[in-house]
Amino acid sequence: MSAGKATAVAPANIAFVKYWGTRDEERTLPYNPSISMTLARCVSRCTVELRPEGSDLELLFGEGSAGLAPPSPEFARGVERHLGRLAEWAGYRGGFRVAARNEFPTGAGLASSASGFTALALAAAAALGREPGPEELSALARRSGSGSAARSAWGGYVEWPAAGGDGEGAAQLAAAAHWDLRDLVAVVDASPKGVSSRAGHRLAPTSPYFERRLALLAARLERVRGAIAARSLAELGPVVEEEAIDLHLIAMSSRPPVYYWRPGTLAVLAEARRLRDAEGVAVWATIDAGPNVHLICEPAAEAAVAARMTALPEVVAVLRDGVGGGPRVLRGAEDHLI
Ligand code: PMV
């Protein structure tokens, strides 16, 4: 890694207990703790180069195997805001040259702010000569405004905010090696979602069921922590699926309502239940703020789940991922995007 320039890779994560509703938008603090699994294949890569003489930002972005190009003004504003906070943290006043790429399989419709902002935070910190550990990186990534980015700072199984911590950073519950879980994403619609998660977080407390879900969460979090510790999918699965449906219940009953589901979402949920009930395949579904369904299973069930989901006419792609080890700085000259 040459001084003033660094590249980092950071993963997306899939939440078992969701962050839905922001208590403090300025500091990106949630109403409730969330627990997720960090992924291995869905990653973002980011190269940051310092421009000490300048004060502006030159930014390029790419997805999959497409070339790098200037992103939308909205995307650029998010990056600029986050870099501004990182520069303030490091006491740096110059400009930046940045290139970012979502290395997700193309056409998956899984843009992830968590992986992108964590990769940006880690690459910028490294370019500025800092080496934040996961705890500090978690807090830095969260300053982007994406709360789930706090969880992408760690590999394996992660809770944010950490129980007993300062209420801001995430902590690792178990490393990736503790339990080899898979996440197969049944993609039913690859287009960008209509309502951002930021807007969804704002609307969440307007649902009459918002407080009810919060009241249920302490027990749900405890069950998920216990299931991870015991490596028990039979304990984890039902809670994870119930929790995902509750997120969408809140979204659909917000004022105004938000509908993330498509007909294919229901088709995948029904197929997962059929696989479980009629064929005894241990697979459970979860859904983030979008229409695509994440199917959680153990390695022995992966092939059957992939085959059945691929055969559904509503499914345009099945992406096979699993638990992964967390972000890292890449030190080879050939690793840089620019
Ligand atoms: O981090 P954000 O603001 O993109 O919100 C994430 C929201 C969900 O993905 C739906 C839930 C979660 O905890 O990841």
Side-chain angles (χ1 to χ4, degrees), residues 30-320:
Y31 277 99
N32 67 275
S34 51
I35 296 179
S36 59
M37 173 173 99
T38 297
L39 298 178
R41 288 188 58 213
C42 287
V43 298
S44 298
R45 178 186 296 242
C46 182
T47 300
V48 173
E49 188 175 14
L50 304 185
R51 287 283 173 83
E53 308 305 324
S55 60
D56 57 340
L57 165 65
E58 191 187 318
L59 176 63
L60 293 171
F61 176 69
E63 275 189 279
S65 53
L68 294 169
S72 70
E74 194 195 340
F75 182 98
R77 268 195 300 277
V79 172
E80 199 163 1
R81 213 175 22 237
H82 192 200
L83 274 174
R85 290 176 181 156
L86 294 164
E88 198 183 306
W89 163 76
Y92 172 74
R93 294 176 189 281
F96 294 96
R97 195 166 161 244
V98 174
R101 179 189 291 288
N102 279 345
E103 297 185 337
F104 299 5
T106 31
L110 291 177
S112 169
S113 50
S115 56
F117 281 125
T118 306
L120 178 65
L122 185 54
L128 289 159
R130 308 288 186 101
E131 291 206 15
E135 262 175 70
E136 194 176 13
L137 179 61
S138 175
L140 287 176
R142 202 196 77 239
R143 290 191 200 183
S144 63
S146 167
S148 57
R151 299 188 311 245
S152 275
W154 294 91
Y157 300 87
V158 184
E159 178 162 351
W160 169 68
D166 61 5
E168 305 206 353
Q172 190 180 58
L173 295 174
H178 170 73
W179 191 13
D180 184 5
L181 270 189
R182 303 292 160 89
D183 174 15
L184 278 69
V185 192
V187 179
V188 298
D189 187 345
S191 53
K193 62 186 166 213
V195 180
S196 67
S197 39
R198 176 182 288 258
H201 289 304
R202 258 184 219 156
L203 288 173
T206 67
S207 162
Y209 308 108
F210 182 71
E211 295 293 338
R212 180 71 191 129
R213 171 173 173 265
L214 290 185
L216 295 171
L217 275 183
R220 207 172 267 172
L221 285 156
E222 206 40 53
R223 281 166 72 194
V224 168
R225 289 185 202 109
I228 291 171
R231 291 189 279 262
S232 169
L233 187 56
E235 280 176 42
L236 180 73
V239 200
V240 166
E241 198 163 304
E242 177 183 300
E243 164 62 6
I245 304 304
D246 274 11
L247 181 156
H248 290 272
L249 171 81
I250 305 276
M252 289 187 218
S253 56
S254 296
R255 300 184 179 130
V258 184
Y259 302 108
Y260 287 114
W261 291 13
R262 298 282 174 276
T265 311
L266 278 167
V268 173
L269 286 174
E271 190 70 355
R273 181 181 287 193
R274 248 191 315 274
L275 266 167
R276 247 190 347 252
D277 293 352
E279 296 170 42
V281 176
V283 58
W284 302 88
T286 182
I287 312 167
D288 273 346
N292 303 318
V293 185
H294 294 248
L295 297 151
I296 309 299
C297 63
E298 290 187 305
E302 182 177 346
V305 174
R308 289 290 286 275
M309 295 301 163
T310 306
L312 287 180
E314 293 88 350
V315 170
V316 296
V318 175
L319 201 148
R320 292 162 83 141

